[in-house]
Structures are given as C-alpha cells and as structure tokens.
Amino acid sequence: TLNALPTISRRISDFTRLTPQAGRGNSFAGADGRLNNITVDGSYFNNSFGLGGQPGDRTGVSPISLDAIDQIQVNIAPYDVRQGLFTGATVNTVTRSGTNEFQGSIYSFFRNNNMVGRKAKELEFNPGEFGYDQYGARLGGPILKDKLFFFASYEYEKTTEPGTTFRANRGNEPVGGNVTRVLASDLDSLSSFLLNRFGYVTGPYEGYDNNTLAHKFLIRLDYNLDKKNKLSLRYNHLNSFSDILLSNSSSLGWGNRRTNLTGLNFRNSNYQILENIRSIIGEWNSQISSNMSNQLIAGYTFQDESRRSLGSFFPMVDILKDNTVYTTFGFEPFTPNNELRYSTWQLQNNFNIYSGRHTHTFGISAEYYQSENIFFPGSQSVYIYNSLEDFYTDAIDYFDNPNRTVSPVNLRRFQVRWSNIPGQDKPIQPLKVFLPGIYYQDNIQISDRLNIIAGIRVEAPFFGNTAFNNPQVDTLKFRDENGNEVMYRTDKLPDPNPLISPRFGFNYSVNEERTFQIRGGTGIFSGRPAYVWISNQIGNNGVMTGFERLDNTTARPFHPDPNHYKPSVVTGAPASQYELALTDPNFRFPQVWRSNIAFDYKLPWGMIGTVEGIYNQDVNGIYYINANLAPADSFYVGVDPRPRWTSTAATRINPNIDNAIVLKNQNIGYSYNVSTHIERPAREDGLYFKLGYSYGIALNTVDPGSIAFGSWNNNQHTGDPNNPGLGFSSNTQGHRVFGAVAYTIVSERDYTNMGNKFFSNFGSTTISFFYDGFTQGVASYVYSGDMNGDGGTSNDLIYIAKDKSEMNFETYTVTVNNQSITFTADQQKEAWENFINRDPYLSRNRGKYAERNGAWLPMVHRIDFSIAQDIGVKAGNKKNSLQLRVDILNFTNFLNSDWGVGRRFTSTAPLINRGRDANGQHKYRLLQLQGRLIEDPYQFTNLVQDVWRIQVGIRYNFN
C-alpha cells in the first residue's frame, strides 16, 4: 500500500503478545514527551500544562485500559497536515466500539512478594510490600441492531513498591550498590531531636513503600443515523494518585537530594500527587455526496494534578556535606498549596473533495485552554546548612534565644516566598489560550506507483490578558545574552505570532511488483509549548509574591515557624525582593524542520526490511537567559580561565531582583536518527518476529523544565550561563537494539467427544520474547558546589585535565568512624587519574571541557518472556475462551542474577569546588565516600527493574 506517512500501527492483540519494558528507546532522537500530540480516536488528549509527557504520566498509570484499545498508531513524520500541534510525534489510540454481537472480557493480573527477584549481581534487593493488583472488564454490543452500539470498560489497579531501595550506612559499610554514605546513627539522632525539640515527625528514611492507585473507565456510543452519517460519543474517566519522592531540583534549596549514594531524605518530605481526568468527545462523520465527505470532532477535557504533603508544614532544610546534600527534612520544596486544574475545549473539522487523482482536504482546528495553577514554592522557608553540626548549633541556639536576629553559624543559603497581595491566601496563576488553525492539502495519486502529498497548516495562539503588571519593572533595565541593554514588561504575554507549516511527502514503488518502495518527505512541524512555561510569567512578577534569597548569611537564624521571616504587612505594591519570569516579545511556539527518507524491501520468506533516516532542525527552539545577570567581575587563571562572580551582589544588575529569567527562541538545535529493522508479519504458521537497531543523537541549548529559574539555573555550561552553547539533550537516545519473537501453536483437540461439559479444546499457546538493549541514560560531569559564583549549585561543567600536571587538588582531612583520614593532593591525583581512565567519555576528551550530557552509561540488555494459554469454553453456540497468562519481566535476571542489571554513575559531581588558590587557579577536592576516594565511574544498581518480576493473569473472553 502506498503510504506517505512513516507509521507504526498495530492491533492491540499484537502488542499483548509481547511485554515491552520501559527504556530509552525513543522513536527518534530528542523526543521530549511534552512536545508530542496525544490523540484518542483523532481527538486531542494531552497533558497540556506540561508537567508530564502524556496523560497518566503524573501518577505513572495509563489513563485508558489496554483492554479498551483496538489499535495504537505512532506517526513520527506524518506529512498529512491534518495531524498537527506537535514537534515530537503524534500518537493516536483507537478505542474499541460495539458491534451487532455482544463481546467482552473479565480479567485479573497480579504479582506479590513471592514473585520478585532478590538479587542483582551481588546486590540484595528488598521488595518491601511488593505487589500489583489489576482487575477489569469490558462489554460491547448492540442497543439497536445495525443502528446503535455501546462499548464500556472498567479497570482498577494498585501498585505497591519500595519508596526507595537506598539505605543508610551502619557505620563501617563500604558505600556502593544501595548503601549510601549517610549514617543511620546521624538520621536516627536527627529524627529524635526534631521530634523532641520541635514536635516535627520526620517519618522513616528507609524501608517504606510507595503506593499508586487508579480507577479508570470508558464509555462509547456509536450511532448510524443513516447510510451516510455516523455519530460517536466517548467519555473517559480516570481517578488516580501516587506517592512520589521529594524533588531533586535545585530551583529551590540545593538539589540532588536522593536516589544517589550521597544523600538520603526522610519519608515525610515526600508528597502525593493526583491525576484525575474527565473527557467527553463527540464525532460526526458524513458522506455528503459521492465526491465529498466531512469529519467533525468536538469535545471537552478537564484535568486535576494537585498535590498534598505526607508531612506537616515545617521549614525545609538541606544539610550539606562536601558541598552535596547529605539529608533533607521538612516540607517538600514545591508542594505548599500546590494545586493545578486545567481544561480544554476542542474543535476539528476536515472537509474532503475527491476529484480524479486528487483528494483535497480543507480543515480547521480550534483549542481553548484555561488553567488555574497555584504554585507557592518556598513559602515553608528553606534553610541550607554546610553541615549537620551547623544545624544543631543553630537550632539549639534558638531555644536559648527565640528572638535572636543573628545565627551563630553561617548558613549556605536561605530562601522564602510570601504572598504579596493583601487578603490573597493562595497565589493563583490563571492562564487562557485560544489556538485556532487552518490547513489545506492535496493528496495526488500521480500513477499506480507514485503518490505525493502536499499541504500547509497555519496556527496562531492568542493569550488572554491574565498577567500582572509590575510598574517598577517597567522602568528597569536588563541585559540580554549579547550584552545589550533591554527592558521588559511583566504583563506582556506572547503575541499571536502565526506558525506556518508547509509539508511535502511522497511514496514511490520502484518496481511493478511493489517489493521495493521509497518514502519520505520534508516539512515544518509546529507544536504547543508546555503551557507551564508561560504560566511561570504570571506567577513570578514581583507583585503576586515576593521572594528572598540570601547566600552565606548569618542574618536568618533558624526558626521553626515557616512564616517568621515573611513581611508582616503587604500592600500589593512591588515586593521588596522578588524574582521574575518573562517572555521575549518575539517568542514563537516550538517549530522544527523535519526530513526523512526510508527504503522498504520485501525479502524472502515473507520478511520486510526497512532502512530509515530522520533529521530535525530547530526553527523555534527553546532558550532561557537571566536578564538580571551582571557581567562577571573576575576570571580564573590557568588551564580553566572561565568567568567568575565573587559574590551574590555581583551577579545582580538590579539588587532587589534575585533573577529575571526570559523565555526565548533559538534555531541551532538539531537531532537525527538512523534505524533499520527486519520484520516477518504473523502468518498461518504462527511465527512473528521483528529485529531492529537504531541510533539517535539530539543537541540543543537547554532541556526545559517546569520552572523558569530551574531551566536556566540547572543548565550546565562552561562559562557564560546566558550563552551555554549546544549540548546533548537528556533525551538523546544513543544505541538501541531490540527484538521481538512470538510463536503461536494452535490445538484443535476436541474435548466434546470425551464427555467434557465445559472445555471444547485447548485453543492456542503463545510464547513470546522481547529483547531490548539500550543506552540507560546520559549525564553531565559538573563541579560540586558553585564553581563560578553565578548561584547555580550543579551547573558548572568540569575541565578534564589532560594529565596530572593540570590537576589542582587541595589536601584535606575527614573523620570517619572516629578516625581522622588525610587525603593528600597526590593521592587525589592518582584516584582521579584512575577514574578518568575507567570512564570512556572522560578518557577520550582529556584537555577539554566536559559536554552537557556528554557521558553515557553503558548499555543494558534485558529480555522479557510471556506465555499465554487459551482454552476453548463451550457456551451454547458461542466460542468463548479462558486465557491463562504468565509474564516474566527481566527474564534475563531470572535466568542468571548477574544478567539484566543496570548501572548508574557513582557521582556526576566528583570534584568539590574550593574556589581559587593563591595564584588565582581553580582548586578542588576529590569526593570521598566513607573514607575512600572514588575511582570507579559506574556502579551496578539494584532497583526494581534490575530484578525479575513475575505477573500472573487470567482472562475470560466471551462472544
């Protein structure tokens, strides 16, 4: 079939024969899930605010039961302009519908503590109360035969897994695997101190479980009005929540707090998040005449992604050790009053005219989005101490003098946010966006062997006037990335700049037998931004809230009251201290120029081989600058002469503004992916297989987060943070090899002749394997601490010394288990030399700066296994079936505990910043873990995915 759309489409029955596991196997390099367009039956179904890549991401559940899905279609480069509003991919789910026959199923899947492995390499895995329970049912059939049909499905699922597999050190254990450097004795003493002195309950720091719970149902009606008109109505419903570990972000506090070997937090600093969805969609398909048809889709979707804390409202405290977080307690950094609700109205209409070899399509689309985001990070007050001893000193001093104004110790950082409008309890950030679009295309059948498609799409976003004006900012001057003086307005949201997306695609059959085809095309693809990027501006304007950050200060001694340092009186005028999020007046929604070429060839034995290449170039990529960043006032000397700011005051153009982050566009990012695969579709002999390989690279200037300051502050660089240059995206795929094999054996053994009253035959047995070998992840090697003084605690890429002569270590002494250990500069040089030589990335880039996300973890190889047995069941004249199924995830680990185990970086911040030496050169220390200098870049992990898990299911299908 000629097809200009590189499309993967499978009936869901094909998918359920296999058990794919989560990996980094993106369809193409650089795929940020938030830039995809998710549709259900062609209607929009997205996580539009952008805190997740798709509906269900926030709680980690699927919003629609797999049993309600008939097909899944993934379009990477669709040149059909009816598919728009994405720069990643478009993923369409086709739901089941009713027919003239009643059909349905009842099913249950489960796993428990006895169905999970306990060993990954030599590391033990403690599953806690490990369990998974899922049950559901579906039913479809006629209400009026040949006229009105219904389909309904319901599913419940609950997952219980370890909240963290990391644990505290008992004092004499080597750090590695899941054993951190954090001493259990320290955490026990700290927890008791906080309870006895402040009445604050920390909860446990290890051995606790996280739960995820979901209820989902779908109802669909299909009505044949007549031979030319069909109406469909679908309602989706999801209620879910999940326990989540506290954030690792340094947008507030120090960051990098957990899920590593250096830090371990308490449970009551975690949070719980909701994801509730209500969506109703109607579709009308009409055959107007013999050469004209029309499709109309309209609907409404509401989503709630609010949070709640697991602990009481108490200041958040990061305790440091060697410039990295040792432990954290208190209220989760971004959870105070965190409420998010948003809704979307949508309309799409496609009108087709069939004229000879031409199919003309005229279309319109419209989306009206509105959200209310309550985001109040820092309202609990945030304290960062250089050591646990410093915290104890400050906290005990509070009891001696509760009204003190000076701390006996130097705080590394203090932050607080307050409501700045009288009577405002919660700072609501309203956002309204109207996004209309029009498009036209012509699909031309040039000949029996050549088909081309050409079209153009135009969209223009219109933002409602919901931003706040800060008259003080109107008069201030800032600085852009080129050093030019600029001015901004806090109430200026993006203009309705039109997005023009022309596309051209083709499909050519090289020979008459159609055994060899070439397909491809080129075009512009335009998408929505994650609307959280724009919402940042409405929240951070200096009028709605105030924000204070003090570094290296004694002026904010610890106080258990989160409100102690907030102004007692606010007037609604610009706050005394604040931060800003702004949008460049010329900002445009994301756009990429994408081109692809593919070759499909029919091979012997019914196989199909494909080779494909895709290239993406940013047209409107995303970029951030801090317009309040002053030029550097100093420089290092020697092999690493990067710029440096000597104080917090030196970083600010306007002293009362902590930062002014501006959302802008860039066009230098790009990505590419090359792939090949061989597939044998399932045939009468029951054998199906597919083998493939792909390699992808993606480079950009930033991987945008959800907080403007965090997107800029956490973006690793080697000099000017406003000009970071190209780096690898965190979504870089790297290498991926995969294989899927399924074999079905059909048994026609008849049990009715044997007097069996229930079973007619054994049906079929299906055995399947899914192999996935993939690059586990990428990371940036940075200095621990703020090496250049710009305020970022983990964004300074290291310089990789070409040899020991370029290393500048500082001798230091630590106390471990009541023993003093001194690490000389020479000892650190030797250990760092070993570390570099054992890391392929560092060893081949000596004498250079490390690149953002330039270091890749080794590939991991895993196989999943599944066996399903169908048993025929007699039910009158109907052929029903009972299916028993067993899935083994990470079957490789089941065969051998040394197989299928992943790895992590021992530390991506191995060098601890120590400022300048007497000669002005940068000096540092090498990280030590419980008295041992690190020398190995990787360690094996013992996470849930590293061990085997067995899942058992039973399903009854009736017709």
Side-chain angles (χ1 to χ4, degrees):
T1 302
L2 295 177
N3 180 10
L5 310 179
T7 303
I8 304 167
S9 181
R10 287 278 181 273
R11 288 194 177 276
I12 205 64
S13 57
D14 294 333
F15 280 100
T16 54
R17 293 181 305 178
L18 310 172
T19 316
Q21 59 195 20
R24 295 187 59 83
N26 298 327
S27 298
F28 63 93
D32 183 338
R34 295 174 299 177
L35 301 180
N36 296 334
N37 187 29
I38 309 299
T39 60
V40 177
D41 299 322
S43 63
Y44 304 141
F45 191 61
N46 292 287
N47 186 289
S48 299
F49 193 73
L51 297 180
Q54 61 189 25
D57 267 5
R58 304 294 284 143
T59 52
V61 302
S62 62
I64 299 175
S65 166
L66 193 68
D67 214 45
I69 297 173
D70 183 60
Q71 294 183 39
I72 295 176
Q73 302 160 336
V74 181
N75 293 313
I76 300 169
Y79 300 109
D80 187 331
V81 298
R82 291 176 296 180
Q83 302 186 56
L85 298 178
F86 68 94
T87 55
T90 178
V91 181
N92 184 46
T93 296
V94 181
T95 60
R96 293 178 184 265
S97 57
T99 66
N100 275 330
E101 299 290 333
F102 285 100
Q103 296 178 328
S105 71
I106 302 172
Y107 58 90
S108 176
F109 293 87
F110 70 93
R111 57 180 181 260
N112 58 36
N113 283 52
N114 298 318
M115 303 163 72
V116 58
R118 304 299 174 100
K119 200 170 184 180
K121 290 285 185 181
E122 298 303 318
L123 304 173
E124 298 297 325
F125 172 75
N126 182 359
E129 293 299 320
F130 186 83
Y132 176 77
D133 292 291
Q134 180 191 75
Y135 57 80
R138 64 173 167 87
L139 178 65
I143 298 176
L144 297 173
K145 192 171 183 180
D146 297 327
K147 200 78 173 175
L148 180 60
F149 311 93
F150 79 94
F151 175 82
S153 76
Y154 169 78
E155 186 171 276
Y156 163 89
E157 66 178 84
K158 180 181 180 181
T159 302
T160 301
E161 293 182 344
T164 179
T165 58
F166 289 88
R167 68 174 183 83
N169 198 299
R170 267 52 190 178
N172 54 1
E173 298 176 283
V175 176
N178 66 333
V179 180
T180 69
R181 67 170 178 171
V182 186
L183 296 178
S185 56
D186 283 346
L187 298 183
D188 290 337
S189 297
L190 178 59
S191 182
S192 297
F193 177 85
L194 292 169
L195 177 63
N196 295 331
R197 292 297 188 104
F198 298 107
Y200 175 73
V201 179
T202 64
Y205 49 82
E206 63 184 22
Y208 58 88
D209 296 307
N210 280 356
N211 292 303
T212 298
L213 186 69
H215 295 267
K216 64 193 85 165
F217 65 84
L218 177 148
I219 300 173
R220 173 171 171 162
L221 297 174
D222 292 276
Y223 186 31
N224 295 328
L225 294 173
D226 52 42
K227 291 183 178 180
K228 294 184 177 181
N229 292 277
K230 178 182 177 181
L231 288 176
S232 296
L233 185 67
R234 187 191 72 250
Y235 176 73
N236 296 93
H237 186 105
L238 171 69
N239 279 354
S240 65
F241 74 82
S242 185
D243 295 323
I244 309 292
L245 296 178
L246 92 165
S247 173
N248 258 337
S249 172
S250 62
S251 298
L252 194 72
W254 200 258
N256 201 31
R257 302 175 179 89
R258 46 81 182 169
T259 323
N260 54 51
L261 298 177
T262 56
L264 190 64
N265 69 281
F266 293 92
R267 180 181 182 271
N268 285 355
S269 294
N270 300 336
Y271 65 96
Q272 190 177 90
I273 194 166
L274 300 176
E275 184 157 17
N276 297 336
I277 301 174
R278 314 286 186 263
S279 179
I280 184 165
I281 304 293
E283 181 179 347
W284 176 20
N285 287 282
S286 177
Q287 187 68 40
I288 299 173
S289 66
S290 60
N291 69 334
M292 288 186 291
S293 66
N294 194 77
Q295 179 196 44
L296 173 66
I297 298 175
Y300 170 79
T301 301
F302 170 82
Q303 290 158 275
D304 184 349
E305 298 173 18
S306 301
R307 295 190 188 191
R308 74 175 185 87
S309 175
L310 298 182
S312 59
F313 198 55
F314 191 79
M316 191 197 87
V317 178
D318 280 338
I319 304 292
L320 306 184
K321 183 177 182 180
D322 293 332
N323 262 350
T324 56
V325 172
Y326 185 70
T327 190
T328 299
F329 63 86
F331 206 87
E332 204 276 339
F334 306 106
T335 298
N337 297 116
N338 191 322
E339 300 175 31
L340 173 61
R341 301 174 185 90
Y342 55 99
S343 59
T344 306
W345 293 91
Q346 62 172 290
L347 174 71
Q348 300 175 66
N349 193 84
N350 297 302
F351 177 67
N352 299 304
I353 300 176
Y354 311 101
S355 176
R357 293 180 177 270
H358 298 263
T359 299
H360 302 278
T361 299
F362 302 86
I364 62 171
S365 66
E367 185 177 77
Y368 178 71
Y369 166 93
Q370 58 181 352
S371 62
E372 285 192 347
N373 179 33
I374 303 173
F375 192 50
F376 210 9
S379 60
Q380 74 274 62
S381 298
V382 177
Y383 299 80
I384 302 175
Y385 289 91
N386 289 308
S387 67
L388 189 55
E389 292 73 19
D390 279 0
F391 168 71
Y392 281 131
T393 299
D394 199 12
I396 292 172
D397 190 59
Y398 161 79
F399 287 100
D400 294 335
N401 184 10
N403 298 318
R404 69 214 170 113
T405 58
V406 177
S407 171
V409 300
N410 187 64
L411 273 73
R412 181 60 185 85
R413 178 169 292 172
F414 171 81
Q415 295 164 307
V416 66
R417 190 182 308 273
W418 63 90
S419 178
N420 193 58
I421 296 177
Q424 174 184 255
D425 181 43
K426 300 176 181 179
I428 300 176
Q429 304 172 16
L431 181 64
K432 298 178 180 180
V433 189
F434 177 55
L435 181 58
I438 59 172
Y439 45 91
Y440 165 77
Q441 77 178 12
D442 189 5
N443 193 330
I444 311 170
Q445 190 74 43
I446 301 293
S447 69
D448 290 342
R449 292 163 56 184
L450 177 62
N451 184 81
I452 65 173
I453 187 169
I456 188 169
R457 218 187 142 96
V458 181
E459 281 123 354
F462 295 83
F463 284 86
N465 185 22
T466 59
F468 288 72
N469 174 252
N470 184 329
Q472 185 183 82
V473 173
D474 294 346
T475 66
L476 299 179
K477 295 179 180 179
F478 297 91
R479 180 175 178 266
D480 69 12
E481 65 272 32
N482 299 314
N484 301 317
E485 190 176 274
V486 289
M487 300 181 72
Y488 292 99
R489 292 182 60 93
T490 60
D491 58 347
K492 185 69 175 70
L493 294 177
D495 290 325
N497 297 313
L499 303 168
I500 303 173
S501 305
R503 301 183 201 166
F504 171 83
F506 72 93
N507 189 294
Y508 176 63
S509 182
V510 177
N511 52 28
E512 293 288 347
E513 295 79 16
R514 296 178 178 269
T515 59
F516 180 29
Q517 75 168 357
I518 304 173
R519 54 184 169 82
T522 188
I524 303 294
F525 294 82
S526 305
R528 316 170 187 81
Y531 285 132
V532 63
W533 299 342
I534 311 299
S535 181
N536 276 303
Q537 177 174 344
I538 300 172
N540 295 330
N541 47 54
V543 175
M544 182 179 291
T545 64
F547 179 77
E548 178 185 68
R549 173 171 67 97
L550 298 176
D551 287 341
N552 300 309
T553 182
T554 60
R556 294 292 182 264
F558 181 78
H559 199 289
D561 179 6
N563 301 313
H564 183 71
Y565 291 112
K566 299 175 184 178
S568 57
V569 177
V570 294
T571 63
S576 56
Q577 301 282 328
Y578 53 87
E579 60 181 349
L580 297 173
L582 305 161
T583 306
D584 186 87
N586 299 315
F587 176 78
R588 292 174 179 267
F589 277 21
Q591 282 187 306
V592 297
W593 177 20
R594 177 169 300 148
S595 303
N596 88 298
I597 185 74
F599 305 90
D600 301 308
Y601 193 80
K602 187 175 181 180
L603 301 168
W605 304 297
M607 297 186 298
I608 300 171
T610 295
V611 177
E612 183 167 9
I614 299 178
Y615 179 81
N616 300 283
Q617 176 68 54
D618 279 350
V619 177
N620 297 323
I622 303 302
Y623 181 45
Y624 285 95
I625 68 165
N626 180 0
N628 201 47
L629 182 67
D633 60 338
S634 179
F635 289 86
Y636 285 103
V637 299
V639 295
D640 186 2
R642 73 180 76 190
R644 178 173 178 263
W645 288 262
T646 58
S647 66
T648 300
T651 65
R652 300 176 182 177
I653 295 173
N654 300 286
N656 66 316
I657 299 176
D658 186 79
N659 59 82
I661 309 302
V662 184
L663 175 62
K664 307 185 74 171
N665 291 126
Q666 54 81 24
N667 61 3
I668 60 176
Y670 67 90
S671 66
Y672 65 83
N673 180 278
V674 291
S675 64
T676 182
H677 68 260
I678 296 176
E679 181 176 16
R680 184 187 189 272
R683 295 177 179 272
E684 291 79 6
D685 60 7
L687 177 64
Y688 165 87
F689 68 80
K690 184 172 184 177
L691 305 174
Y693 167 79
S694 65
Y695 177 76
I697 290 294
L699 294 99
N700 58 17
T701 51
V702 66
D703 287 315
S706 59
I707 301 174
F709 175 70
S711 296
W712 175 82
N713 184 62
N714 297 329
N715 195 35
Q716 296 89 4
H717 59 85
T718 59
D720 182 357
N722 281 346
N723 286 285
L726 277 179
F728 290 100
S729 167
S730 61
N731 294 298
T732 288
Q733 175 188 299
H735 299 278
R736 186 190 182 204
V737 184
F738 67 92
V741 179
Y743 183 58
T744 301
I745 305 169
V746 179
S747 172
E748 296 297 339
R749 187 175 184 182
D750 192 347
Y751 275 73
T752 57
N753 296 330
M754 301 172 64
N756 191 294
K757 298 180 180 180
F758 302 103
F759 302 118
S760 60
N761 57 61
F762 267 129
S764 62
T765 304
T766 299
I767 300 173
S768 56
F769 294 88
F770 183 84
Y771 158 73
D772 201 6
F774 55 93
T775 304
Q776 289 180 266
V778 297
S780 307
Y781 277 116
V782 296
Y783 290 106
S784 176
D786 188 1
M787 181 261 193
N788 70 345
D790 65 354
T793 60
S794 58
N795 63 1
D796 299 307
L797 292 165
I798 67 170
Y799 171 76
I800 310 167
K802 67 180 181 181
D803 54 40
K804 291 182 181 179
S805 68
E806 290 190 342
M807 301 177 187
N808 193 24
F809 285 103
E810 173 189 74
T811 297
Y812 70 105
T813 301
V814 297
T815 300
V816 178
N817 296 328
N818 298 318
Q819 293 183 344
S820 294
I821 303 175
T822 298
F823 299 108
T824 67
D826 287 340
Q827 288 174 324
Q828 294 175 74
K829 287 181 181 181
E830 185 64 29
W832 181 231
E833 182 73 14
N834 291 335
F835 189 104
I836 292 174
N837 290 333
R838 293 170 184 174
D839 185 299
Y841 174 75
L842 294 177
S843 60
R844 68 172 178 263
N845 286 282
R846 303 196 70 147
K848 302 176 182 178
Y849 286 112
E851 300 164 285
R852 177 166 56 89
N853 293 320
W856 295 9
L857 282 169
M859 292 183 67
V860 64
H861 304 272
R862 293 181 178 136
I863 296 175
D864 294 338
F865 167 77
S866 175
I867 182 169
Q869 176 65 57
D870 288 301
I871 303 173
V873 178
K874 293 186 296 183
N877 296 324
K878 302 295 184 180
K879 291 184 178 180
N880 297 345
S881 67
L882 178 69
Q883 184 185 81
L884 304 176
R885 179 182 175 119
V886 177
D887 297 291
I888 305 180
L889 304 179
N890 200 354
F891 185 61
T892 34
N893 182 259
F894 182 83
L895 296 175
N896 188 318
S897 62
D898 288 340
W899 297 350
V901 181
R903 279 184 272 191
R904 72 166 68 92
F905 292 98
T906 303
S907 174
T908 56
L911 302 178
I912 303 167
N913 171 55
R914 296 296 294 170
R916 292 190 299 180
D917 64 14
N919 299 317
Q921 297 185 49
H922 182 225
K923 62 180 179 178
Y924 36 80
R925 297 173 177 176
L926 185 63
L927 179 65
Q928 62 84 25
L929 298 173
Q930 279 297 94
R932 300 179 183 180
L933 294 171
I934 61 171
E935 296 190 47
D936 294 308
Y938 314 122
Q939 291 201 344
F940 287 104
T941 55
N942 56 342
L943 306 175
V944 172
Q945 59 267 31
D946 295 312
V947 296
W948 57 265
R949 290 94 72 205
I950 295 178
Q951 179 172 287
V952 176
I954 183 170
R955 176 191 299 273
Y956 183 79
N957 297 307
F958 57 88
N959 298 296

